[in-house]
Amino acid sequence: MTVYSVGQNIYLRKGDTGQVEFRGLPTDKTYTAYFSVFNEETNKIMAELSVLVNNGEAVFQFNNTFSDSLSVGEWVYGLKICSGAGASAMEDTLLPRTYVENDEIIQEPAPQFVVYDKVVEGVD
């Protein structure tokens, strides 16, 4: 298994490699995108990667070191874009999505990030 996505949910096996792409991101500024795997039980970020947004796309590469660092289980993930620094800094969490509908703030659940057991060691 490499990295699979079904809808917004992501699945991988410890030690495997692959990538996840996010498209349709804003292009009006130079953005850095951040992807983090989050443990909702402990309210802790387990791992985080960052890449520059290029032509509205962010491609996150999961190497074996990254996937080996994650505990087996069902987690969630988030995606944020940032630009600028200091007083002009801008940060916008895109996933999990939050929006206003009928004057009510709606917070969608974070997408799942599922890590399966490693069953073969491989090169390392």
Coordinates of all heavy atoms in Angstrom, one line a residue, residues 21-121:
E21 N -1.9 15.4 -2.9 CA -2.0 16.7 -3.5 C -3.3 17.4 -3.2 O -4.3 16.8 -3.1 CB -2.0 16.4 -5.1 CG -0.8 15.7 -5.6 CD -0.8 15.4 -7.0 OE1 -1.7 16.0 -7.8 OE2 0.0 14.6 -7.5
F22 N -3.2 18.7 -3.0 CA -4.3 19.5 -2.7 C -4.3 20.6 -3.9 O -3.3 21.2 -4.1 CB -4.3 20.2 -1.4 CG -4.4 19.3 -0.2 CD1 -3.2 18.7 0.3 CD2 -5.6 18.9 0.3 CE1 -3.3 17.8 1.4 CE2 -5.7 18.0 1.3 CZ -4.5 17.4 1.9
R23 N -5.4 20.7 -4.6 CA -5.6 21.6 -5.7 C -6.6 22.6 -5.4 O -7.4 22.5 -4.5 CB -5.9 20.8 -7.0 CG -4.9 19.8 -7.3 CD -5.2 19.1 -8.7 NE -4.1 18.3 -9.0 CZ -4.3 17.1 -9.5 NH1 -5.5 16.6 -9.8 NH2 -3.2 16.4 -9.9
G24 N -6.5 23.7 -6.2 CA -7.5 24.8 -6.1 C -7.2 25.8 -5.0 O -8.1 26.5 -4.5
L25 N -6.0 25.8 -4.5 CA -5.6 26.7 -3.5 C -5.4 28.1 -4.0 O -5.1 28.3 -5.2 CB -4.3 26.2 -2.8 CG -4.3 24.8 -2.2 CD1 -3.0 24.5 -1.6 CD2 -5.4 24.7 -1.1
P26 N -5.5 29.1 -3.2 CA -5.4 30.5 -3.7 C -4.0 30.8 -4.4 O -3.0 30.2 -4.0 CB -5.6 31.4 -2.5 CG -6.3 30.5 -1.5 CD -5.8 29.1 -1.8
T27 N -4.0 31.7 -5.3 CA -2.8 32.0 -6.0 C -2.5 33.5 -6.0 O -1.6 34.0 -6.7 CB -2.9 31.6 -7.5 OG1 -4.0 32.2 -8.1 CG2 -3.0 30.1 -7.6
D28 N -3.3 34.3 -5.2 CA -3.1 35.7 -5.1 C -1.9 36.2 -4.4 O -1.5 37.4 -4.5 CB -4.4 36.4 -4.5 CG -4.6 35.9 -3.1 OD1 -4.5 34.7 -2.8 OD2 -5.0 36.8 -2.3
K29 N -1.2 35.3 -3.6 CA 0.0 35.6 -2.8 C 0.9 34.4 -2.9 O 0.5 33.3 -3.4 CB -0.4 35.9 -1.4 CG -1.3 37.1 -1.1 CD -1.5 37.2 0.4 CE -2.5 38.3 0.6 NZ -2.9 38.4 2.1
T30 N 2.1 34.6 -2.3 CA 3.0 33.4 -2.2 C 2.6 32.7 -0.8 O 2.7 33.4 0.2 CB 4.4 33.9 -2.1 OG1 4.8 34.5 -3.3 CG2 5.4 32.7 -1.9
Y31 N 2.1 31.5 -0.9 CA 1.7 30.8 0.2 C 2.6 29.6 0.5 O 3.1 28.9 -0.4 CB 0.2 30.2 0.0 CG -0.8 31.3 0.0 CD1 -1.3 31.7 -1.2 CD2 -1.3 31.8 1.1 CE1 -2.3 32.7 -1.3 CE2 -2.3 32.8 1.1 CZ -2.8 33.2 -0.1 OH -3.8 34.2 -0.2
T32 N 2.7 29.3 1.8 CA 3.2 28.0 2.3 C 2.0 27.2 2.8 O 1.2 27.8 3.6 CB 4.3 28.2 3.4 OG1 5.3 29.0 2.8 CG2 4.8 26.9 3.9
A33 N 1.9 26.0 2.4 CA 0.9 25.1 2.9 C 1.4 24.2 4.0 O 2.6 23.7 3.9 CB 0.3 24.3 1.8
Y34 N 0.7 24.0 5.1 CA 1.1 23.1 6.2 C 0.1 22.0 6.3 O -1.2 22.2 6.3 CB 1.1 23.9 7.5 CG 2.2 24.9 7.5 CD1 2.0 26.2 6.9 CD2 3.5 24.6 8.0 CE1 3.0 27.1 6.9 CE2 4.5 25.6 8.0 CZ 4.2 26.8 7.4 OH 5.2 27.8 7.4
F35 N 0.6 20.7 6.4 CA -0.3 19.5 6.6 C 0.1 18.9 7.9 O 1.3 18.7 8.1 CB 0.0 18.6 5.4 CG -0.7 17.3 5.6 CD1 -1.9 17.1 5.0 CD2 -0.1 16.2 6.3 CE1 -2.6 15.8 5.1 CE2 -0.8 15.0 6.4 CZ -2.0 14.8 5.8
S36 N -0.8 18.7 8.8 CA -0.5 18.0 10.0 C -1.4 16.9 10.4 O -2.6 16.9 10.0 CB -0.5 19.0 11.2 OG -1.8 19.5 11.4
V37 N -0.8 15.9 11.0 CA -1.6 14.7 11.5 C -1.8 15.1 13.0 O -0.9 15.4 13.7 CB -0.8 13.4 11.3 CG1 -1.7 12.3 11.9 CG2 -0.5 13.2 9.9
F38 N -3.1 15.0 13.4 CA -3.5 15.5 14.7 C -4.2 14.4 15.5 O -5.0 13.6 15.0 CB -4.5 16.6 14.5 CG -4.9 17.3 15.7 CD1 -4.0 18.2 16.4 CD2 -6.2 17.1 16.3 CE1 -4.4 18.9 17.5 CE2 -6.6 17.8 17.4 CZ -5.7 18.7 18.1
N39 N -3.9 14.3 16.8 CA -4.5 13.3 17.7 C -5.5 14.1 18.5 O -5.2 14.9 19.4 CB -3.4 12.7 18.7 CG -4.0 11.7 19.6 OD1 -5.2 11.8 20.0 ND2 -3.1 10.8 20.1
E40 N -6.8 13.8 18.2 CA -7.9 14.5 18.9 C -8.0 14.2 20.4 O -8.5 15.0 21.1 CB -9.2 14.2 18.2 CG -9.3 14.8 16.8 CD -10.7 14.6 16.2 OE1 -11.1 13.4 16.0 OE2 -11.3 15.6 15.8
E41 N -7.6 13.0 20.8 CA -7.7 12.6 22.2 C -6.7 13.4 23.1 O -7.0 13.8 24.2 CB -7.4 11.1 22.4 CG -8.5 10.3 21.8 CD -8.2 8.8 22.0 OE1 -7.3 8.4 22.7 OE2 -9.0 8.0 21.3
T42 N -5.5 13.7 22.5 CA -4.5 14.5 23.3 C -4.4 15.9 22.9 O -3.7 16.7 23.5 CB -3.1 13.8 23.2 OG1 -2.7 13.9 21.8 CG2 -3.1 12.4 23.6
N43 N -5.1 16.3 21.8 CA -5.0 17.7 21.3 C -3.6 18.0 20.9 O -3.1 19.1 21.1 CB -5.6 18.7 22.2 CG -7.1 18.8 22.1 OD1 -7.7 18.4 21.1 ND2 -7.7 19.4 23.2
K44 N -2.9 17.1 20.3 CA -1.5 17.3 19.9 C -1.3 17.0 18.4 O -1.8 16.0 17.9 CB -0.6 16.3 20.7 CG -0.7 16.5 22.2 CD 0.5 17.3 22.7 CE 0.5 17.3 24.2 NZ 0.6 18.5 24.9
I45 N -0.4 17.8 17.8 CA 0.0 17.6 16.5 C 1.1 16.5 16.5 O 2.1 16.6 17.3 CB 0.6 18.8 15.8 CG1 -0.6 19.8 15.6 CG2 1.3 18.5 14.5 CD1 -0.1 21.2 15.1
M46 N 0.9 15.4 15.8 CA 1.8 14.2 15.8 C 2.9 14.4 14.8 O 4.0 14.0 15.1 CB 1.0 13.0 15.5 CG -0.1 12.6 16.5 SD -1.2 11.3 15.9 CE -0.1 10.0 15.7
A47 N 2.6 15.1 13.7 CA 3.7 15.3 12.6 C 3.1 16.4 11.7 O 1.9 16.6 11.6 CB 3.9 14.0 11.8
E48 N 4.1 17.2 11.2 CA 3.7 18.3 10.3 C 4.7 18.4 9.2 O 5.9 18.3 9.4 CB 3.6 19.6 11.1 CG 3.0 20.7 10.3 CD 2.6 21.9 11.1 OE1 3.5 22.7 11.5 OE2 1.4 22.0 11.4
L49 N 4.2 18.7 8.0 CA 5.0 19.0 6.8 C 4.6 20.3 6.2 O 3.4 20.7 6.4 CB 4.7 17.9 5.7 CG 5.1 16.4 6.1 CD1 4.6 15.5 5.0 CD2 6.5 16.3 6.3
S50 N 5.5 20.9 5.5 CA 5.2 22.2 4.8 C 5.8 22.2 3.4 O 6.8 21.6 3.2 CB 5.7 23.4 5.6 OG 7.1 23.4 5.6
V51 N 5.1 22.8 2.5 CA 5.5 23.0 1.1 C 5.0 24.3 0.6 O 4.1 24.9 1.1 CB 5.0 21.9 0.2 CG1 5.5 20.5 0.6 CG2 3.5 21.9 0.1
L52 N 5.7 24.8 -0.4 CA 5.3 26.0 -1.1 C 4.1 25.7 -2.0 O 4.2 24.6 -2.7 CB 6.4 26.7 -1.9 CG 7.5 27.4 -1.1 CD1 8.6 27.9 -2.0 CD2 6.9 28.5 -0.3
V53 N 3.1 26.5 -2.1 CA 2.0 26.4 -3.0 C 2.5 26.8 -4.4 O 3.0 27.9 -4.5 CB 0.8 27.2 -2.5 CG1 -0.4 27.1 -3.6 CG2 0.3 26.7 -1.2
N54 N 2.3 26.0 -5.4 CA 2.8 26.2 -6.7 C 1.6 26.1 -7.7 O 1.0 25.1 -7.8 CB 3.9 25.3 -7.1 CG 4.5 25.6 -8.4 OD1 4.2 26.6 -9.1 ND2 5.3 24.7 -8.9
N55 N 1.2 27.2 -8.3 CA 0.1 27.3 -9.2 C -1.2 26.7 -8.6 O -1.9 26.0 -9.3 CB 0.4 26.5 -10.5 CG 1.5 27.2 -11.3 OD1 1.5 28.4 -11.4 ND2 2.4 26.4 -11.9
G56 N -1.4 27.0 -7.4 CA -2.7 26.6 -6.7 C -2.6 25.2 -6.2 O -3.6 24.6 -5.8
E57 N -1.4 24.5 -6.2 CA -1.3 23.1 -5.8 C -0.3 23.0 -4.7 O 0.8 23.6 -4.7 CB -0.9 22.2 -6.9 CG -1.9 22.1 -8.0 CD -1.5 21.1 -9.1 OE1 -0.5 20.5 -9.0 OE2 -2.3 20.9 -10.0
A58 N -0.6 22.1 -3.7 CA 0.4 21.8 -2.7 C 0.5 20.3 -2.7 O -0.5 19.5 -2.6 CB -0.1 22.2 -1.3
V59 N 1.8 19.8 -2.9 CA 2.0 18.4 -3.0 C 2.9 18.0 -1.8 O 4.1 18.4 -1.7 CB 2.7 18.0 -4.3 CG1 3.0 16.5 -4.4 CG2 1.9 18.5 -5.5
F60 N 2.4 17.2 -0.9 CA 3.1 16.7 0.2 C 3.6 15.3 0.0 O 2.9 14.4 -0.3 CB 2.2 16.7 1.5 CG 1.7 18.1 1.9 CD1 0.5 18.6 1.4 CD2 2.5 18.9 2.7 CE1 0.1 19.9 1.8 CE2 2.1 20.2 3.1 CZ 0.9 20.7 2.6
Q61 N 4.9 15.2 0.2 CA 5.6 13.9 0.0 C 5.7 13.2 1.4 O 6.3 13.8 2.3 CB 7.0 14.1 -0.6 CG 7.0 14.7 -1.9 CD 6.5 13.9 -3.1 OE1 6.6 12.6 -3.0 NE2 6.0 14.5 -4.1
F62 N 5.2 12.0 1.5 CA 5.4 11.2 2.7 C 6.5 10.2 2.4 O 6.3 9.2 1.7 CB 4.1 10.4 3.0 CG 2.9 11.3 3.2 CD1 1.6 10.8 3.1 CD2 3.0 12.6 3.6 CE1 0.5 11.5 3.3 CE2 1.9 13.4 3.8 CZ 0.6 12.9 3.7
N63 N 7.6 10.4 3.1 CA 8.7 9.5 3.0 C 8.6 8.4 4.1 O 7.7 8.5 5.0 CB 10.1 10.2 3.0 CG 10.4 10.9 4.3 OD1 9.9 10.6 5.3 ND2 11.2 11.9 4.2
N64 N 9.5 7.4 4.1 CA 9.3 6.3 5.1 C 9.6 6.8 6.5 O 9.1 6.3 7.4 CB 10.2 5.1 4.7 CG 11.7 5.4 4.6 OD1 12.1 6.6 4.4 ND2 12.5 4.4 4.8
T65 N 10.5 7.8 6.6 CA 10.8 8.4 7.9 C 9.5 9.0 8.5 O 9.2 8.8 9.7 CB 11.9 9.4 7.9 OG1 13.0 8.8 7.4 CG2 12.2 10.0 9.3
F66 N 8.7 9.7 7.7 CA 7.5 10.4 8.1 C 6.5 9.3 8.5 O 5.9 9.3 9.6 CB 6.9 11.3 7.0 CG 5.6 11.9 7.3 CD1 5.5 13.0 8.1 CD2 4.4 11.3 6.8 CE1 4.2 13.6 8.4 CE2 3.2 11.8 7.1 CZ 3.1 13.0 7.9
S67 N 6.3 8.3 7.6 CA 5.2 7.3 7.9 C 5.6 6.4 9.1 O 4.7 6.0 9.9 CB 4.9 6.5 6.7 OG 5.9 5.7 6.3
D68 N 6.9 6.1 9.3 CA 7.4 5.4 10.4 C 7.2 6.1 11.7 O 7.1 5.5 12.8 CB 8.8 5.0 10.3 CG 9.0 3.6 9.6 OD1 8.1 2.8 9.6 OD2 10.1 3.4 9.0
S69 N 7.2 7.4 11.7 CA 7.1 8.2 12.9 C 5.7 8.3 13.5 O 5.5 8.6 14.6 CB 7.5 9.7 12.6 OG 6.6 10.4 11.9
L70 N 4.7 7.8 12.7 CA 3.3 7.9 13.1 C 2.9 6.6 13.8 O 3.3 5.5 13.4 CB 2.4 8.1 11.9 CG 2.6 9.4 11.1 CD1 1.9 9.4 9.8 CD2 2.2 10.6 12.0
S71 N 2.1 6.8 14.8 CA 1.5 5.6 15.6 C 0.4 5.0 14.7 O -0.3 5.7 14.1 CB 1.0 6.0 16.9 OG 2.0 6.6 17.7
V72 N 0.3 3.7 14.8 CA -0.8 3.0 14.2 C -2.1 3.5 14.8 O -2.2 3.6 16.1 CB -0.7 1.5 14.3 CG1 -1.9 0.8 13.9 CG2 0.5 1.0 13.5
G73 N -3.1 3.8 14.0 CA -4.4 4.3 14.6 C -5.2 5.1 13.6 O -4.7 5.4 12.5
E74 N -6.3 5.6 14.1 CA -7.2 6.5 13.3 C -7.0 7.9 13.9 O -7.4 8.2 15.1 CB -8.6 6.1 13.4 CG -8.8 4.7 12.7 CD -10.3 4.3 12.6 OE1 -11.2 5.1 12.9 OE2 -10.5 3.1 12.3
W75 N -6.4 8.8 13.1 CA -6.2 10.2 13.5 C -7.0 11.1 12.6 O -7.8 10.6 11.8 CB -4.7 10.5 13.4 CG -3.8 9.4 14.0 CD1 -3.0 8.5 13.3 CD2 -3.8 8.9 15.3 NE1 -2.5 7.6 14.1 CE2 -2.9 7.8 15.4 CE3 -4.4 9.4 16.5 CZ2 -2.6 7.2 16.6 CZ3 -4.1 8.7 17.7 CH2 -3.2 7.7 17.7
V76 N -6.7 12.4 12.7 CA -7.3 13.3 11.7 C -6.2 14.2 11.2 O -5.1 14.1 11.7 CB -8.4 14.2 12.3 CG1 -9.6 13.3 12.8 CG2 -7.9 15.0 13.5
Y77 N -6.5 15.0 10.2 CA -5.4 15.9 9.6 C -6.0 17.2 9.3 O -7.3 17.4 9.2 CB -4.7 15.3 8.4 CG -5.6 15.3 7.1 CD1 -5.5 16.4 6.3 CD2 -6.4 14.2 6.8 CE1 -6.3 16.4 5.1 CE2 -7.1 14.2 5.6 CZ -7.0 15.3 4.8 OH -7.8 15.2 3.6
G78 N -5.1 18.2 9.2 CA -5.5 19.5 8.9 C -4.6 20.1 7.8 O -3.5 19.6 7.6
L79 N -5.2 21.1 7.1 CA -4.4 21.8 6.1 C -4.6 23.3 6.3 O -5.7 23.8 6.5 CB -5.0 21.4 4.7 CG -4.3 22.2 3.5 CD1 -2.9 21.7 3.3 CD2 -5.2 21.9 2.2
K80 N -3.5 24.0 6.3 CA -3.5 25.5 6.5 C -2.6 26.1 5.5 O -1.6 25.5 5.1 CB -2.9 25.8 7.9 CG -2.8 27.3 8.2 CD -2.2 27.5 9.6 CE -3.3 27.5 10.6 NZ -2.9 28.0 11.9
I81 N -2.9 27.3 5.0 CA -2.1 28.1 4.2 C -1.7 29.4 4.9 O -2.5 29.9 5.7 CB -2.7 28.4 2.8 CG1 -4.0 29.2 3.0 CG2 -2.8 27.2 1.9 CD1 -4.6 29.7 1.7
C82 N -0.4 29.8 4.7 CA 0.1 31.0 5.4 C 0.9 31.8 4.4 O 1.5 31.3 3.5 CB 1.1 30.6 6.5 SG 0.3 29.5 7.8
S83 N 0.9 33.1 4.6 CA 1.7 34.0 3.8 C 2.1 35.2 4.7 O 1.5 35.5 5.7 CB 1.0 34.5 2.6 OG 0.0 35.4 3.0
G84 N 3.2 35.9 4.3 CA 3.7 37.0 5.0 C 4.3 36.7 6.3 O 4.5 35.5 6.7
A85 N 4.7 37.7 7.0 CA 5.4 37.6 8.3 C 5.1 38.8 9.2 O 4.6 39.8 8.7 CB 6.9 37.5 8.2
G86 N 5.3 38.6 10.5 CA 5.0 39.7 11.4 C 3.6 40.2 11.4 O 2.7 39.4 11.4
A87 N 3.4 41.5 11.4 CA 2.1 42.1 11.5 C 1.3 41.8 10.3 O 0.0 41.9 10.3 CB 2.2 43.6 11.7
S88 N 1.9 41.5 9.1 CA 1.2 41.3 7.9 C 0.9 39.8 7.6 O 0.5 39.4 6.6 CB 1.9 41.9 6.7 OG 3.2 41.2 6.5
A89 N 1.3 39.0 8.6 CA 1.1 37.5 8.4 C -0.4 37.2 8.3 O -1.2 37.8 8.9 CB 1.7 36.8 9.6
M90 N -0.7 36.2 7.5 CA -2.0 35.6 7.3 C -1.9 34.1 7.4 O -1.1 33.5 6.8 CB -2.5 36.0 5.8 CG -3.9 35.7 5.5 SD -4.3 33.9 5.2 CE -3.3 33.5 3.8
E91 N -2.9 33.6 8.2 CA -3.0 32.1 8.3 C -4.4 31.7 8.1 O -5.3 32.4 8.7 CB -2.5 31.6 9.7 CG -1.0 31.9 9.9 CD -0.5 31.2 11.2 OE1 -1.1 30.2 11.6 OE2 0.5 31.6 11.7
D92 N -4.7 30.7 7.3 CA -6.1 30.3 7.0 C -6.2 28.8 7.0 O -5.6 28.1 6.2 CB -6.5 30.8 5.7 CG -8.0 30.6 5.4 OD1 -8.7 30.2 6.2 OD2 -8.4 30.9 4.2
T93 N -6.9 28.2 8.0 CA -7.1 26.8 8.1 C -8.2 26.4 7.1 O -9.3 26.9 7.2 CB -7.5 26.3 9.5 OG1 -6.4 26.7 10.4 CG2 -7.7 24.8 9.6
L94 N -7.8 25.6 6.1 CA -8.7 25.1 5.1 C -9.4 23.8 5.4 O -10.6 23.6 5.0 CB -8.0 25.0 3.7 CG -7.2 26.2 3.2 CD1 -6.5 25.9 2.0 CD2 -8.2 27.4 3.1
L95 N -8.7 23.0 6.1 CA -9.3 21.7 6.6 C -8.9 21.5 8.0 O -7.7 21.6 8.3 CB -8.8 20.5 5.7 CG -9.3 20.4 4.3 CD1 -8.6 19.3 3.6 CD2 -10.8 20.3 4.2
P96 N -9.8 21.2 8.9 CA -11.2 21.1 8.7 C -11.9 22.4 8.4 O -11.5 23.4 8.9 CB -11.7 20.5 10.0 CG -10.7 20.9 11.1 CD -9.4 21.0 10.3
R97 N -12.9 22.3 7.6 CA -13.5 23.5 7.0 C -14.5 24.1 8.1 O -15.2 23.4 8.8 CB -14.3 23.1 5.8 CG -14.9 24.3 5.1 CD -15.5 23.8 3.8 NE -16.3 24.9 3.2 CZ -17.6 24.8 2.9 NH1 -18.2 23.6 3.1 NH2 -18.2 25.8 2.4
T98 N -14.4 25.4 8.2 CA -15.4 26.2 9.0 C -16.0 27.3 8.2 O -15.3 27.9 7.4 CB -14.6 26.8 10.2 OG1 -14.0 25.8 11.0 CG2 -15.6 27.6 11.1
Y99 N -17.3 27.5 8.3 CA -18.0 28.5 7.5 C -19.2 28.9 8.2 O -19.6 28.4 9.2 CB -18.3 27.9 6.1 CG -19.2 26.7 6.1 CD1 -20.5 26.8 5.9 CD2 -18.6 25.4 6.2 CE1 -21.3 25.6 5.9 CE2 -19.4 24.3 6.2 CZ -20.7 24.4 6.1 OH -21.5 23.3 6.1
V100 N -19.8 30.0 7.6 CA -21.1 30.5 8.2 C -22.2 30.2 7.3 O -22.1 30.4 6.0 CB -20.9 32.1 8.4 CG1 -22.3 32.7 8.9 CG2 -19.8 32.4 9.3
E101 N -23.3 29.7 7.9 CA -24.5 29.4 7.1 C -25.7 29.8 7.9 O -25.8 29.4 9.1 CB -24.6 27.9 6.8 CG -25.7 27.5 5.9 CD -25.7 26.0 5.6 OE1 -24.9 25.7 4.6 OE2 -26.3 25.2 6.3
N102 N -26.6 30.7 7.4 CA -27.7 31.2 8.1 C -27.3 31.8 9.5 O -27.9 31.5 10.5 CB -28.8 30.1 8.3 CG -29.3 29.6 7.0 OD1 -29.5 30.3 6.0 ND2 -29.6 28.3 6.9
D103 N -26.3 32.6 9.5 CA -25.8 33.3 10.7 C -25.3 32.3 11.7 O -25.2 32.7 12.9 CB -26.8 34.2 11.2 CG -27.1 35.4 10.3 OD1 -26.2 35.8 9.6 OD2 -28.3 35.9 10.3
E104 N -25.0 31.1 11.4 CA -24.5 30.1 12.3 C -23.1 29.6 11.8 O -22.9 29.3 10.7 CB -25.5 28.9 12.4 CG -25.1 27.9 13.5 CD -26.1 26.8 13.6 OE1 -27.3 27.0 13.3 OE2 -25.7 25.7 14.0
I105 N -22.2 29.5 12.8 CA -20.8 29.0 12.4 C -20.9 27.5 12.4 O -21.3 26.8 13.3 CB -19.8 29.4 13.5 CG1 -19.7 31.0 13.4 CG2 -18.5 28.8 13.2 CD1 -18.7 31.5 14.4
I106 N -20.5 26.9 11.2 CA -20.5 25.5 11.0 C -19.1 25.0 11.0 O -18.2 25.5 10.3 CB -21.2 25.1 9.7 CG1 -22.6 25.7 9.5 CG2 -21.2 23.6 9.5 CD1 -23.6 25.3 10.5
Q107 N -18.8 24.0 11.9 CA -17.4 23.4 11.9 C -17.5 22.0 11.5 O -18.1 21.2 12.2 CB -16.8 23.5 13.3 CG -16.5 24.9 13.7 CD -15.8 25.0 15.0 OE1 -15.3 24.0 15.5 NE2 -15.7 26.1 15.6
E108 N -17.0 21.7 10.3 CA -17.0 20.3 9.8 C -16.0 19.5 10.5 O -15.0 20.0 11.0 CB -16.8 20.3 8.3 CG -17.9 20.9 7.5 CD -17.6 20.9 6.0 OE1 -16.5 20.4 5.5 OE2 -18.5 21.2 5.2
P109 N -16.2 18.2 10.6 CA -15.2 17.3 11.3 C -14.0 17.3 10.4 O -14.0 17.4 9.2 CB -15.9 16.0 11.4 CG -17.0 16.0 10.4 CD -17.4 17.5 10.2
A110 N -12.9 17.1 11.1 CA -11.6 16.9 10.3 C -11.6 15.6 9.6 O -12.1 14.6 10.1 CB -10.4 17.0 11.3
P111 N -11.0 15.6 8.4 CA -10.9 14.3 7.7 C -10.0 13.3 8.4 O -9.1 13.7 9.1 CB -10.2 14.7 6.3 CG -10.2 16.2 6.3 CD -10.4 16.7 7.7
Q112 N -10.2 12.1 8.2 CA -9.5 11.0 8.8 C -8.1 10.8 8.2 O -7.9 11.0 7.0 CB -10.2 9.7 8.7 CG -11.3 9.5 9.7 CD -11.8 8.0 9.7 OE1 -11.9 7.4 8.7 NE2 -12.0 7.5 11.0
F113 N -7.1 10.4 9.0 CA -5.8 10.0 8.6 C -5.5 8.7 9.3 O -5.3 8.6 10.5 CB -4.8 11.0 8.9 CG -3.4 10.8 8.3 CD1 -3.1 11.4 7.1 CD2 -2.5 9.9 8.9 CE1 -1.9 11.2 6.5 CE2 -1.3 9.7 8.3 CZ -1.0 10.3 7.1
V114 N -5.6 7.6 8.5 CA -5.5 6.2 9.1 C -4.1 5.6 8.8 O -3.7 5.6 7.7 CB -6.6 5.3 8.6 CG1 -6.5 3.9 9.2 CG2 -8.0 5.9 8.9
V115 N -3.5 5.2 9.9 CA -2.2 4.5 9.8 C -2.3 3.1 10.1 O -2.8 2.7 11.2 CB -1.1 5.2 10.7 CG1 0.2 4.5 10.6 CG2 -1.0 6.7 10.4
Y116 N -1.9 2.2 9.2 CA -1.9 0.8 9.4 C -0.5 0.2 9.8 O 0.5 0.9 9.6 CB -2.3 0.0 8.1 CG -3.8 0.4 7.7 CD1 -4.0 1.1 6.5 CD2 -4.9 -0.1 8.4 CE1 -5.3 1.4 6.1 CE2 -6.1 0.2 8.0 CZ -6.3 1.0 6.9 OH -7.6 1.3 6.5
D117 N -0.5 -1.0 10.4 CA 0.7 -1.6 10.8 C 1.7 -1.8 9.7 O 1.3 -2.1 8.5 CB 0.4 -3.0 11.4 CG -0.2 -2.9 12.8 OD1 0.3 -2.2 13.6 OD2 -1.2 -3.6 13.0
K118 N 3.0 -1.7 10.0 CA 4.0 -2.1 9.0 C 4.1 -3.7 9.1 O 4.2 -4.2 10.2 CB 5.3 -1.5 9.4 CG 6.5 -1.9 8.5 CD 7.8 -1.5 9.1 CE 8.2 -0.1 8.7 NZ 9.5 0.3 9.0
V119 N 4.1 -4.4 8.0 CA 4.2 -5.8 8.0 C 5.4 -6.3 7.3 O 5.7 -7.5 7.4 CB 2.9 -6.5 7.3 CG1 1.7 -6.2 8.2 CG2 2.7 -6.0 5.9
V120 N 6.2 -5.4 6.6 CA 7.5 -5.8 6.0 C 8.4 -4.6 6.2 O 8.0 -3.5 6.1 CB 7.3 -6.0 4.5 CG1 8.6 -6.3 3.8 CG2 6.3 -7.2 4.2
E121 N 9.7 -4.9 6.6 CA 10.6 -3.9 6.9 C 11.1 -3.2 5.7 O 11.2 -2.0 5.6 CB 11.8 -4.4 7.7 CG 12.7 -3.3 8.2 CD 12.0 -2.3 9.1 OE1 11.4 -2.7 10.1 OE2 12.2 -1.1 8.9

